[in-house]
Amino acid sequence: MNKEEVFLKKIAKTLDNSSFLGDDCAYLEEYNLAISTDTLIEDVHFKLGQKNGAISPYALGKKALLVNISDILASGAKPEYLTISLSGNLDADFIENFYKGINDVCRKYGLKVIGGDLTGGSKVSVSITIFGNTKGRTVSSRAKAKEGYIVLLAGEHGSSATGFKILSGKLNINEAENKHFINAHIEPKLYPKISETIALNCKKPYAMMDTSDGLYDALKKISESSKTGFSINFDKIPKKSVQYKDNTTIPDFNTVLFGGEDYGLLICISKDDFSAFGEKLISLGAAKIGTVTKEKILINGKEIDRDLRFEHFG
Amino acid sequence: MNKEEVFLKKIAKTLDNSSFLGDDCAYLEEYNLAISTDTLIEDVHFKLGQKNGAISPYALGKKALLVNISDILASGAKPEYLTISLSGNLDADFIENFYKGINDVCRKYGLKVIGGDLTGGSKVSVSITIFGNTKGRTVSSRAKAKEGYIVLLAGEHGSSATGFKILSGKLNINEAENKHFINAHIEPKLYPKISETIALNCKKPYAMMDTSDGLYDALKKISESSKTGFSINFDKIPKKSVQYKDNTTIPDFNTVLFGGEDYGLLICISKDDFSAFGEKLISLGAAKIGTVTKEKILINGKEIDRDLRFEHFG
């Protein structure tokens, strides 16, 4: 268990009426609502100003909201409404550009802002709560993968971390590739149609997670919760591969598996469900990357011998 | 307009599908839910450690939640569920004690924690989102006070600010009084039964607000939104008055009106509604302190000639 997991266990033990599990979404079952809250903090999750790797207020607004939508999509719910708490020593320009970013994402995904607040503070912090409708949908669970299930993955993996490296001045490919990877970092692509197709059509329980903390981390979490393993074909993982000057491939193996912040969807569905609508998922951008096995996480038949993790948390 | 109001107007203008008004609650009307999010930030809203005026992690957990419940009660909704985002450079003790505070308040008010997250960060920040049921209830609005309405107030006013002065080492009355005022600051008393009685029984539209930013601020906000005035009898304002050694009264006039953080309920209801259940409200702890008038805010017949405000923001 890492530090975050220890703390979450302590919280669950302290509260006597709680369904707090550190899950990405909370559920108000009687209201058919999934809720996700995420907080992004300056110098922890993003940098501002002219620093290397800094993000603009507009891009921050976009990304903060996309990250939250991603959690709701991973639950199988339909994102509908949100509230925003913004704090920091802010000026009018910052606020306007941040909310322009929010607004552009709201338009794209059909969301409505229903409230929020502004407070002071030394570092900028953004906390978004997003509400998704679960009516008529089967919600996902990390614990519902089963041996023999088909594993699908949507989203370019390793691209966000590569974009961050470029933004930070540690990598320079060429203008077009730089732009592509930076954009993957700043404005992750989401897959609402894939989420919807699964949540509306799955006849059997399924597992789905976003890969915000890295693809391997998502595999590990599902395997721990479901008590299963994975056999994954690395070559099938959707990614953009670029040959770099010294003939290395970018992103490399580790970056694809551990890079994080790709906000793709990792999906484990039954063979029957895959037969019924797997083709549709593939046409929407998912790739079949392997199967759920009894134990161990194998990538191209081998276990990863290091436990690298992308850690948001200290 | 102060800075916060200017910013909130800018946000409302930037978003093209929003009911974001900087109100204390947001409403998911189709779900019969009122939602309130509030963020408390170290060194802005509270101090930690051994500093003068510092709060313990346990007391912080309690207060952070009480402040949010207060917003939901002011809307007329019934608080039911919450999510908590906690960030900062935290240790296991802090987390356990903070959540004990949360748990004790949840027990008292019958609330359930349905989710949350933990993140790193240099300053401690607590963001709570609370959900209240509005089914069968008439929700309040700041804009619904009318000339001739009766004004009621629940909650000891000026006590929280006095407690903060004592905590900060700027005032020392005697042990019993110190304890009383400090407790008013740390654990504000809320009035769920008053909120419920109004929301379930009002036949006419009503205005209700909590006095988190001070009683005068609440009067001013309702008068601006409703385009009315107030005539308030200062002596009727519920408060604990103590004679201090140099024969002054604590809290003084300004502290009662502007002190802030009392989290009382300011209520404006029609004469008919007051006739129907005003006695019940008074038996539950509300006091009749005046009437809604056409214009101007008069305290004991006089306008306050300064525009003192309790400012959380910038």
Side-chain angles (χ1 to χ4, degrees), chain A residues 7 10 16 19 26 28 30-31 80-81 95 103 107 113-114 133, chain B residues 7 10 16 19 26 28 30-31 80-81 95-96 103 107 113-114 133:
Chain A
F7 287 175
K10 191 170 270 298
D16 49 23
S19 50
L28 281 177
E30 59 176 303
Y31 294 95
E80 289 184 332
Y81 299 102
I95 290 172
N103 194 50
R107 266 191 209 164
V113 177
I114 55 158
N133 192 330
Chain B
F7 287 174
K10 190 170 271 297
D16 49 24
S19 50
L28 282 176
E30 58 176 303
Y31 294 94
E80 289 184 333
Y81 299 102
I95 290 172
E96 185 168 357
N103 195 50
R107 267 191 208 164
V113 178
I114 54 158
N133 191 329

PDB file of all heavy atoms in Angstrom, chain A residues 7 10 16 19 26 28 30-31 80-81 95 103 107 113-114 133, chain B residues 7 10 16 19 26 28 30-31 80-81 95-96 103 107 113-114 133:
ATOM      1  N   PHE A   7      -3.828   6.196   3.999  1.00  0.00           N
ATOM      2  CA  PHE A   7      -4.664   7.295   4.486  1.00  0.00           C
ATOM      3  C   PHE A   7      -6.141   7.037   4.180  1.00  0.00           C
ATOM      4  O   PHE A   7      -7.014   7.281   5.013  1.00  0.00           O
ATOM      5  CB  PHE A   7      -4.228   8.618   3.849  1.00  0.00           C
ATOM      6  CG  PHE A   7      -2.921   9.153   4.383  1.00  0.00           C
ATOM      7  CD1 PHE A   7      -2.345  10.288   3.837  1.00  0.00           C
ATOM      8  CD2 PHE A   7      -2.270   8.531   5.449  1.00  0.00           C
ATOM      9  CE1 PHE A   7      -1.137  10.791   4.325  1.00  0.00           C
ATOM     10  CE2 PHE A   7      -1.069   9.026   5.943  1.00  0.00           C
ATOM     11  CZ  PHE A   7      -0.512  10.158   5.375  1.00  0.00           C
ATOM     12  N   LYS A  10      -7.550   4.658   6.582  1.00  0.00           N
ATOM     13  CA  LYS A  10      -7.753   5.305   7.876  1.00  0.00           C
ATOM     14  C   LYS A  10      -9.053   6.120   7.870  1.00  0.00           C
ATOM     15  O   LYS A  10      -9.818   6.109   8.829  1.00  0.00           O
ATOM     16  CB  LYS A  10      -6.552   6.210   8.195  1.00  0.00           C
ATOM     17  CG  LYS A  10      -6.534   6.715   9.621  1.00  0.00           C
ATOM     18  CD  LYS A  10      -5.222   7.409   9.967  1.00  0.00           C
ATOM     19  CE  LYS A  10      -4.165   6.484  10.526  1.00  0.00           C
ATOM     20  NZ  LYS A  10      -4.553   5.829  11.795  1.00  0.00           N
ATOM     21  N   ASP A  16     -18.194   6.395  10.446  1.00  0.00           N
ATOM     22  CA  ASP A  16     -19.036   5.240  10.686  1.00  0.00           C
ATOM     23  C   ASP A  16     -20.254   5.134   9.771  1.00  0.00           C
ATOM     24  O   ASP A  16     -20.966   4.152   9.811  1.00  0.00           O
ATOM     25  CB  ASP A  16     -19.434   5.093  12.166  1.00  0.00           C
ATOM     26  CG  ASP A  16     -19.961   6.342  12.772  1.00  0.00           C
ATOM     27  OD1 ASP A  16     -20.443   7.215  12.033  1.00  0.00           O
ATOM     28  OD2 ASP A  16     -19.913   6.476  13.995  1.00  0.00           O
ATOM     29  N   SER A  19     -19.625   5.668   2.394  1.00  0.00           N
ATOM     30  CA  SER A  19     -19.214   4.788   1.315  1.00  0.00           C
ATOM     31  C   SER A  19     -17.962   5.379   0.677  1.00  0.00           C
ATOM     32  O   SER A  19     -17.728   5.279  -0.509  1.00  0.00           O
ATOM     33  CB  SER A  19     -20.341   4.619   0.301  1.00  0.00           C
ATOM     34  OG  SER A  19     -20.861   5.860  -0.084  1.00  0.00           O
ATOM     35  N   ALA A  26     -18.325   9.023  -6.600  1.00  0.00           N
ATOM     36  CA  ALA A  26     -19.248   8.690  -5.534  1.00  0.00           C
ATOM     37  C   ALA A  26     -20.623   8.552  -6.185  1.00  0.00           C
ATOM     38  O   ALA A  26     -20.861   9.125  -7.248  1.00  0.00           O
ATOM     39  CB  ALA A  26     -19.256   9.812  -4.509  1.00  0.00           C
ATOM     40  N   LEU A  28     -24.844   8.810  -5.696  1.00  0.00           N
ATOM     41  CA  LEU A  28     -26.082   9.074  -4.971  1.00  0.00           C
ATOM     42  C   LEU A  28     -27.108   8.171  -5.633  1.00  0.00           C
ATOM     43  O   LEU A  28     -27.796   8.566  -6.577  1.00  0.00           O
ATOM     44  CB  LEU A  28     -26.489  10.545  -5.133  1.00  0.00           C
ATOM     45  CG  LEU A  28     -25.775  11.575  -4.275  1.00  0.00           C
ATOM     46  CD1 LEU A  28     -26.263  12.989  -4.616  1.00  0.00           C
ATOM     47  CD2 LEU A  28     -26.003  11.313  -2.783  1.00  0.00           C
ATOM     48  N   GLU A  30     -30.002   6.840  -4.887  1.00  0.00           N
ATOM     49  CA  GLU A  30     -31.433   7.152  -4.950  1.00  0.00           C
ATOM     50  C   GLU A  30     -31.735   8.287  -5.933  1.00  0.00           C
ATOM     51  O   GLU A  30     -32.883   8.502  -6.315  1.00  0.00           O
ATOM     52  CB  GLU A  30     -31.975   7.477  -3.551  1.00  0.00           C
ATOM     53  CG  GLU A  30     -31.276   8.646  -2.892  1.00  0.00           C
ATOM     54  CD  GLU A  30     -31.896   9.032  -1.536  1.00  0.00           C
ATOM     55  OE1 GLU A  30     -33.093   9.328  -1.509  1.00  0.00           O
ATOM     56  OE2 GLU A  30     -31.171   9.043  -0.525  1.00  0.00           O
ATOM     57  N   TYR A  31     -30.704   9.031  -6.326  1.00  0.00           N
ATOM     58  CA  TYR A  31     -30.898  10.129  -7.273  1.00  0.00           C
ATOM     59  C   TYR A  31     -30.402   9.785  -8.685  1.00  0.00           C
ATOM     60  O   TYR A  31     -30.425  10.632  -9.570  1.00  0.00           O
ATOM     61  CB  TYR A  31     -30.158  11.381  -6.800  1.00  0.00           C
ATOM     62  CG  TYR A  31     -30.693  11.968  -5.519  1.00  0.00           C
ATOM     63  CD1 TYR A  31     -30.130  11.656  -4.287  1.00  0.00           C
ATOM     64  CD2 TYR A  31     -31.764  12.858  -5.548  1.00  0.00           C
ATOM     65  CE1 TYR A  31     -30.616  12.198  -3.113  1.00  0.00           C
ATOM     66  CE2 TYR A  31     -32.258  13.421  -4.376  1.00  0.00           C
ATOM     67  CZ  TYR A  31     -31.676  13.082  -3.159  1.00  0.00           C
ATOM     68  OH  TYR A  31     -32.161  13.628  -2.003  1.00  0.00           O
ATOM     69  N   GLU A  80     -23.278  15.789 -16.826  1.00  0.00           N
ATOM     70  CA  GLU A  80     -24.333  16.779 -17.100  1.00  0.00           C
ATOM     71  C   GLU A  80     -24.056  18.160 -16.502  1.00  0.00           C
ATOM     72  O   GLU A  80     -24.236  19.172 -17.154  1.00  0.00           O
ATOM     73  CB  GLU A  80     -25.666  16.291 -16.498  1.00  0.00           C
ATOM     74  CG  GLU A  80     -26.294  15.125 -17.195  1.00  0.00           C
ATOM     75  CD  GLU A  80     -27.652  14.748 -16.602  1.00  0.00           C
ATOM     76  OE1 GLU A  80     -27.873  14.993 -15.385  1.00  0.00           O
ATOM     77  OE2 GLU A  80     -28.482  14.215 -17.341  1.00  0.00           O
ATOM     78  N   TYR A  81     -23.686  18.190 -15.210  1.00  0.00           N
ATOM     79  CA  TYR A  81     -23.586  19.469 -14.501  1.00  0.00           C
ATOM     80  C   TYR A  81     -22.278  19.546 -13.733  1.00  0.00           C
ATOM     81  O   TYR A  81     -21.679  18.529 -13.422  1.00  0.00           O
ATOM     82  CB  TYR A  81     -24.731  19.596 -13.488  1.00  0.00           C
ATOM     83  CG  TYR A  81     -26.108  19.570 -14.099  1.00  0.00           C
ATOM     84  CD1 TYR A  81     -26.888  18.421 -14.046  1.00  0.00           C
ATOM     85  CD2 TYR A  81     -26.625  20.699 -14.713  1.00  0.00           C
ATOM     86  CE1 TYR A  81     -28.166  18.401 -14.598  1.00  0.00           C
ATOM     87  CE2 TYR A  81     -27.901  20.680 -15.277  1.00  0.00           C
ATOM     88  CZ  TYR A  81     -28.668  19.532 -15.218  1.00  0.00           C
ATOM     89  OH  TYR A  81     -29.907  19.512 -15.761  1.00  0.00           O
ATOM     90  N   ILE A  95      -9.159  34.937 -14.380  1.00  0.00           N
ATOM     91  CA  ILE A  95     -10.504  34.389 -14.196  1.00  0.00           C
ATOM     92  C   ILE A  95     -11.231  34.269 -15.530  1.00  0.00           C
ATOM     93  O   ILE A  95     -11.827  33.236 -15.844  1.00  0.00           O
ATOM     94  CB  ILE A  95     -11.284  35.248 -13.181  1.00  0.00           C
ATOM     95  CG1 ILE A  95     -10.668  35.029 -11.789  1.00  0.00           C
ATOM     96  CG2 ILE A  95     -12.769  34.920 -13.176  1.00  0.00           C
ATOM     97  CD1 ILE A  95     -11.195  35.955 -10.723  1.00  0.00           C
ATOM     98  N   ASN A 103     -15.755  27.024 -20.404  1.00  0.00           N
ATOM     99  CA  ASN A 103     -16.907  27.183 -21.290  1.00  0.00           C
ATOM    100  C   ASN A 103     -16.750  26.386 -22.590  1.00  0.00           C
ATOM    101  O   ASN A 103     -17.700  25.752 -23.054  1.00  0.00           O
ATOM    102  CB  ASN A 103     -17.106  28.667 -21.600  1.00  0.00           C
ATOM    103  CG  ASN A 103     -18.463  28.942 -22.218  1.00  0.00           C
ATOM    104  OD1 ASN A 103     -19.483  28.511 -21.692  1.00  0.00           O
ATOM    105  ND2 ASN A 103     -18.476  29.618 -23.347  1.00  0.00           N
ATOM    106  N   ARG A 107     -19.313  23.437 -23.792  1.00  0.00           N
ATOM    107  CA  ARG A 107     -19.983  23.397 -25.096  1.00  0.00           C
ATOM    108  C   ARG A 107     -19.773  22.068 -25.776  1.00  0.00           C
ATOM    109  O   ARG A 107     -20.708  21.449 -26.260  1.00  0.00           O
ATOM    110  CB  ARG A 107     -19.372  24.469 -26.005  1.00  0.00           C
ATOM    111  CG  ARG A 107     -20.116  25.748 -25.965  1.00  0.00           C
ATOM    112  CD  ARG A 107     -19.608  26.647 -27.087  1.00  0.00           C
ATOM    113  NE  ARG A 107     -19.779  28.026 -26.676  1.00  0.00           N
ATOM    114  CZ  ARG A 107     -19.183  29.043 -27.250  1.00  0.00           C
ATOM    115  NH1 ARG A 107     -18.360  28.842 -28.265  1.00  0.00           N
ATOM    116  NH2 ARG A 107     -19.411  30.259 -26.818  1.00  0.00           N
ATOM    117  N   VAL A 113     -22.753  24.635 -16.022  1.00  0.00           N
ATOM    118  CA  VAL A 113     -22.195  25.043 -14.722  1.00  0.00           C
ATOM    119  C   VAL A 113     -23.342  25.506 -13.832  1.00  0.00           C
ATOM    120  O   VAL A 113     -24.099  26.398 -14.220  1.00  0.00           O
ATOM    121  CB  VAL A 113     -21.181  26.197 -14.890  1.00  0.00           C
ATOM    122  CG1 VAL A 113     -20.658  26.656 -13.531  1.00  0.00           C
ATOM    123  CG2 VAL A 113     -20.025  25.778 -15.786  1.00  0.00           C
ATOM    124  N   ILE A 114     -23.484  24.886 -12.664  1.00  0.00           N
ATOM    125  CA  ILE A 114     -24.612  25.258 -11.804  1.00  0.00           C
ATOM    126  C   ILE A 114     -24.175  25.969 -10.528  1.00  0.00           C
ATOM    127  O   ILE A 114     -25.016  26.307  -9.694  1.00  0.00           O
ATOM    128  CB  ILE A 114     -25.483  24.042 -11.430  1.00  0.00           C
ATOM    129  CG1 ILE A 114     -24.614  22.949 -10.785  1.00  0.00           C
ATOM    130  CG2 ILE A 114     -26.244  23.501 -12.631  1.00  0.00           C
ATOM    131  CD1 ILE A 114     -25.403  21.993  -9.940  1.00  0.00           C
ATOM    132  N   ASN A 133     -25.406  11.478 -14.928  1.00  0.00           N
ATOM    133  CA  ASN A 133     -26.654  10.729 -14.822  1.00  0.00           C
ATOM    134  C   ASN A 133     -26.379   9.236 -15.053  1.00  0.00           C
ATOM    135  O   ASN A 133     -25.709   8.870 -16.008  1.00  0.00           O
ATOM    136  CB  ASN A 133     -27.597  11.267 -15.898  1.00  0.00           C
ATOM    137  CG  ASN A 133     -29.014  10.778 -15.718  1.00  0.00           C
ATOM    138  OD1 ASN A 133     -29.245   9.691 -15.201  1.00  0.00           O
ATOM    139  ND2 ASN A 133     -29.965  11.577 -16.138  1.00  0.00           N
TER     140      ASN A 133
ATOM    141  N   PHE B   7     -15.751  39.839 -10.144  1.00  0.00           N
ATOM    142  CA  PHE B   7     -15.278  38.581 -10.716  1.00  0.00           C
ATOM    143  C   PHE B   7     -16.455  37.646 -11.032  1.00  0.00           C
ATOM    144  O   PHE B   7     -16.475  37.001 -12.081  1.00  0.00           O
ATOM    145  CB  PHE B   7     -14.311  37.887  -9.755  1.00  0.00           C
ATOM    146  CG  PHE B   7     -12.955  38.549  -9.668  1.00  0.00           C
ATOM    147  CD1 PHE B   7     -12.019  38.103  -8.747  1.00  0.00           C
ATOM    148  CD2 PHE B   7     -12.620  39.609 -10.494  1.00  0.00           C
ATOM    149  CE1 PHE B   7     -10.756  38.699  -8.664  1.00  0.00           C
ATOM    150  CE2 PHE B   7     -11.371  40.219 -10.418  1.00  0.00           C
ATOM    151  CZ  PHE B   7     -10.443  39.756  -9.503  1.00  0.00           C
ATOM    152  N   LYS B  10     -18.104  38.629 -14.130  1.00  0.00           N
ATOM    153  CA  LYS B  10     -17.279  38.271 -15.286  1.00  0.00           C
ATOM    154  C   LYS B  10     -17.468  36.781 -15.622  1.00  0.00           C
ATOM    155  O   LYS B  10     -17.575  36.410 -16.788  1.00  0.00           O
ATOM    156  CB  LYS B  10     -15.805  38.571 -14.976  1.00  0.00           C
ATOM    157  CG  LYS B  10     -14.898  38.473 -16.189  1.00  0.00           C
ATOM    158  CD  LYS B  10     -13.501  38.999 -15.919  1.00  0.00           C
ATOM    159  CE  LYS B  10     -13.316  40.477 -16.171  1.00  0.00           C
ATOM    160  NZ  LYS B  10     -13.521  40.901 -17.567  1.00  0.00           N
ATOM    161  N   ASP B  16     -21.710  30.443 -21.290  1.00  0.00           N
ATOM    162  CA  ASP B  16     -22.957  30.660 -22.022  1.00  0.00           C
ATOM    163  C   ASP B  16     -24.089  29.702 -21.652  1.00  0.00           C
ATOM    164  O   ASP B  16     -25.195  29.865 -22.107  1.00  0.00           O
ATOM    165  CB  ASP B  16     -22.749  30.720 -23.542  1.00  0.00           C
ATOM    166  CG  ASP B  16     -21.922  29.584 -24.089  1.00  0.00           C
ATOM    167  OD1 ASP B  16     -21.868  28.517 -23.450  1.00  0.00           O
ATOM    168  OD2 ASP B  16     -21.328  29.760 -25.154  1.00  0.00           O
ATOM    169  N   SER B  19     -26.042  28.579 -14.575  1.00  0.00           N
ATOM    170  CA  SER B  19     -26.844  29.300 -13.586  1.00  0.00           C
ATOM    171  C   SER B  19     -25.920  29.701 -12.439  1.00  0.00           C
ATOM    172  O   SER B  19     -26.311  29.740 -11.297  1.00  0.00           O
ATOM    173  CB  SER B  19     -28.016  28.425 -13.108  1.00  0.00           C
ATOM    174  OG  SER B  19     -27.556  27.155 -12.724  1.00  0.00           O
ATOM    175  N   ALA B  26     -26.197  25.751  -5.309  1.00  0.00           N
ATOM    176  CA  ALA B  26     -26.579  25.494  -6.693  1.00  0.00           C
ATOM    177  C   ALA B  26     -27.731  24.491  -6.624  1.00  0.00           C
ATOM    178  O   ALA B  26     -27.851  23.745  -5.658  1.00  0.00           O
ATOM    179  CB  ALA B  26     -25.396  24.894  -7.442  1.00  0.00           C
ATOM    180  N   LEU B  28     -29.850  21.364  -8.582  1.00  0.00           N
ATOM    181  CA  LEU B  28     -30.122  20.408  -9.652  1.00  0.00           C
ATOM    182  C   LEU B  28     -31.621  20.170  -9.582  1.00  0.00           C
ATOM    183  O   LEU B  28     -32.087  19.259  -8.898  1.00  0.00           O
ATOM    184  CB  LEU B  28     -29.369  19.095  -9.419  1.00  0.00           C
ATOM    185  CG  LEU B  28     -27.885  19.057  -9.763  1.00  0.00           C
ATOM    186  CD1 LEU B  28     -27.282  17.711  -9.378  1.00  0.00           C
ATOM    187  CD2 LEU B  28     -27.658  19.317 -11.242  1.00  0.00           C
ATOM    188  N   GLU B  30     -34.004  19.111 -11.537  1.00  0.00           N
ATOM    189  CA  GLU B  30     -34.648  17.861 -11.961  1.00  0.00           C
ATOM    190  C   GLU B  30     -34.369  16.712 -10.983  1.00  0.00           C
ATOM    191  O   GLU B  30     -35.039  15.688 -11.018  1.00  0.00           O
ATOM    192  CB  GLU B  30     -34.227  17.476 -13.380  1.00  0.00           C
ATOM    193  CG  GLU B  30     -32.735  17.307 -13.543  1.00  0.00           C
ATOM    194  CD  GLU B  30     -32.331  16.820 -14.950  1.00  0.00           C
ATOM    195  OE1 GLU B  30     -32.823  15.764 -15.351  1.00  0.00           O
ATOM    196  OE2 GLU B  30     -31.514  17.495 -15.596  1.00  0.00           O
ATOM    197  N   TYR B  31     -33.374  16.895 -10.125  1.00  0.00           N
ATOM    198  CA  TYR B  31     -33.058  15.856  -9.142  1.00  0.00           C
ATOM    199  C   TYR B  31     -33.531  16.205  -7.730  1.00  0.00           C
ATOM    200  O   TYR B  31     -33.244  15.466  -6.786  1.00  0.00           O
ATOM    201  CB  TYR B  31     -31.537  15.619  -9.095  1.00  0.00           C
ATOM    202  CG  TYR B  31     -30.960  15.043 -10.361  1.00  0.00           C
ATOM    203  CD1 TYR B  31     -30.425  15.867 -11.333  1.00  0.00           C
ATOM    204  CD2 TYR B  31     -30.949  13.674 -10.575  1.00  0.00           C
ATOM    205  CE1 TYR B  31     -29.885  15.341 -12.501  1.00  0.00           C
ATOM    206  CE2 TYR B  31     -30.411  13.139 -11.729  1.00  0.00           C
ATOM    207  CZ  TYR B  31     -29.879  13.967 -12.692  1.00  0.00           C
ATOM    208  OH  TYR B  31     -29.348  13.440 -13.847  1.00  0.00           O
ATOM    209  N   GLU B  80     -28.015  15.901   3.346  1.00  0.00           N
ATOM    210  CA  GLU B  80     -28.024  14.430   3.354  1.00  0.00           C
ATOM    211  C   GLU B  80     -26.651  13.795   3.145  1.00  0.00           C
ATOM    212  O   GLU B  80     -26.282  12.866   3.841  1.00  0.00           O
ATOM    213  CB  GLU B  80     -28.937  13.917   2.233  1.00  0.00           C
ATOM    214  CG  GLU B  80     -30.410  14.133   2.467  1.00  0.00           C
ATOM    215  CD  GLU B  80     -31.257  13.501   1.357  1.00  0.00           C
ATOM    216  OE1 GLU B  80     -30.750  13.378   0.213  1.00  0.00           O
ATOM    217  OE2 GLU B  80     -32.393  13.135   1.628  1.00  0.00           O
ATOM    218  N   TYR B  81     -25.933  14.254   2.117  1.00  0.00           N
ATOM    219  CA  TYR B  81     -24.691  13.592   1.714  1.00  0.00           C
ATOM    220  C   TYR B  81     -23.576  14.613   1.507  1.00  0.00           C
ATOM    221  O   TYR B  81     -23.840  15.778   1.278  1.00  0.00           O
ATOM    222  CB  TYR B  81     -24.899  12.852   0.385  1.00  0.00           C
ATOM    223  CG  TYR B  81     -25.957  11.775   0.433  1.00  0.00           C
ATOM    224  CD1 TYR B  81     -27.226  11.994  -0.090  1.00  0.00           C
ATOM    225  CD2 TYR B  81     -25.678  10.543   1.011  1.00  0.00           C
ATOM    226  CE1 TYR B  81     -28.206  11.005  -0.042  1.00  0.00           C
ATOM    227  CE2 TYR B  81     -26.646   9.548   1.054  1.00  0.00           C
ATOM    228  CZ  TYR B  81     -27.908   9.778   0.526  1.00  0.00           C
ATOM    229  OH  TYR B  81     -28.853   8.803   0.567  1.00  0.00           O
ATOM    230  N   ILE B  95      -5.026  13.525   9.498  1.00  0.00           N
ATOM    231  CA  ILE B  95      -6.145  12.966   8.735  1.00  0.00           C
ATOM    232  C   ILE B  95      -7.149  12.297   9.666  1.00  0.00           C
ATOM    233  O   ILE B  95      -8.360  12.501   9.554  1.00  0.00           O
ATOM    234  CB  ILE B  95      -5.605  11.993   7.661  1.00  0.00           C
ATOM    235  CG1 ILE B  95      -4.879  12.815   6.586  1.00  0.00           C
ATOM    236  CG2 ILE B  95      -6.722  11.153   7.060  1.00  0.00           C
ATOM    237  CD1 ILE B  95      -4.136  11.997   5.567  1.00  0.00           C
ATOM    238  N   GLU B  96      -6.654  11.530  10.621  1.00  0.00           N
ATOM    239  CA  GLU B  96      -7.558  10.832  11.532  1.00  0.00           C
ATOM    240  C   GLU B  96      -8.385  11.829  12.350  1.00  0.00           C
ATOM    241  O   GLU B  96      -9.604  11.694  12.475  1.00  0.00           O
ATOM    242  CB  GLU B  96      -6.765   9.915  12.458  1.00  0.00           C
ATOM    243  CG  GLU B  96      -7.675   9.082  13.335  1.00  0.00           C
ATOM    244  CD  GLU B  96      -6.929   7.957  14.041  1.00  0.00           C
ATOM    245  OE1 GLU B  96      -5.717   7.803  13.805  1.00  0.00           O
ATOM    246  OE2 GLU B  96      -7.583   7.247  14.826  1.00  0.00           O
ATOM    247  N   ASN B 103     -16.820  13.132  11.256  1.00  0.00           N
ATOM    248  CA  ASN B 103     -17.715  12.051  11.669  1.00  0.00           C
ATOM    249  C   ASN B 103     -18.675  12.493  12.777  1.00  0.00           C
ATOM    250  O   ASN B 103     -19.861  12.153  12.754  1.00  0.00           O
ATOM    251  CB  ASN B 103     -16.890  10.851  12.136  1.00  0.00           C
ATOM    252  CG  ASN B 103     -17.716   9.595  12.238  1.00  0.00           C
ATOM    253  OD1 ASN B 103     -18.423   9.246  11.300  1.00  0.00           O
ATOM    254  ND2 ASN B 103     -17.659   8.937  13.386  1.00  0.00           N
ATOM    255  N   ARG B 107     -22.767  12.447  12.436  1.00  0.00           N
ATOM    256  CA  ARG B 107     -23.665  11.777  13.383  1.00  0.00           C
ATOM    257  C   ARG B 107     -24.750  12.722  13.862  1.00  0.00           C
ATOM    258  O   ARG B 107     -25.923  12.381  13.868  1.00  0.00           O
ATOM    259  CB  ARG B 107     -22.871  11.349  14.617  1.00  0.00           C
ATOM    260  CG  ARG B 107     -22.360   9.953  14.511  1.00  0.00           C
ATOM    261  CD  ARG B 107     -21.833   9.504  15.861  1.00  0.00           C
ATOM    262  NE  ARG B 107     -20.795   8.528  15.648  1.00  0.00           N
ATOM    263  CZ  ARG B 107     -19.924   8.154  16.557  1.00  0.00           C
ATOM    264  NH1 ARG B 107     -19.952   8.708  17.763  1.00  0.00           N
ATOM    265  NH2 ARG B 107     -19.025   7.261  16.285  1.00  0.00           N
ATOM    266  N   VAL B 113     -21.047  10.457   4.270  1.00  0.00           N
ATOM    267  CA  VAL B 113     -19.951  10.806   3.359  1.00  0.00           C
ATOM    268  C   VAL B 113     -19.961   9.818   2.199  1.00  0.00           C
ATOM    269  O   VAL B 113     -19.918   8.609   2.418  1.00  0.00           O
ATOM    270  CB  VAL B 113     -18.583  10.721   4.079  1.00  0.00           C
ATOM    271  CG1 VAL B 113     -17.448  11.029   3.102  1.00  0.00           C
ATOM    272  CG2 VAL B 113     -18.530  11.680   5.262  1.00  0.00           C
ATOM    273  N   ILE B 114     -20.061  10.321   0.971  1.00  0.00           N
ATOM    274  CA  ILE B 114     -20.150   9.400  -0.166  1.00  0.00           C
ATOM    275  C   ILE B 114     -18.908   9.434  -1.054  1.00  0.00           C
ATOM    276  O   ILE B 114     -18.854   8.731  -2.056  1.00  0.00           O
ATOM    277  CB  ILE B 114     -21.399   9.662  -1.032  1.00  0.00           C
ATOM    278  CG1 ILE B 114     -21.441  11.140  -1.469  1.00  0.00           C
ATOM    279  CG2 ILE B 114     -22.675   9.282  -0.303  1.00  0.00           C
ATOM    280  CD1 ILE B 114     -22.285  11.343  -2.694  1.00  0.00           C
ATOM    281  N   ASN B 133     -31.662  17.605   0.091  1.00  0.00           N
ATOM    282  CA  ASN B 133     -32.896  17.238  -0.594  1.00  0.00           C
ATOM    283  C   ASN B 133     -33.891  18.404  -0.524  1.00  0.00           C
ATOM    284  O   ASN B 133     -34.123  18.966   0.534  1.00  0.00           O
ATOM    285  CB  ASN B 133     -33.476  16.006   0.122  1.00  0.00           C
ATOM    286  CG  ASN B 133     -34.598  15.371  -0.656  1.00  0.00           C
ATOM    287  OD1 ASN B 133     -35.337  16.033  -1.373  1.00  0.00           O
ATOM    288  ND2 ASN B 133     -34.720  14.059  -0.511  1.00  0.00           N
TER     289      ASN B 133
END
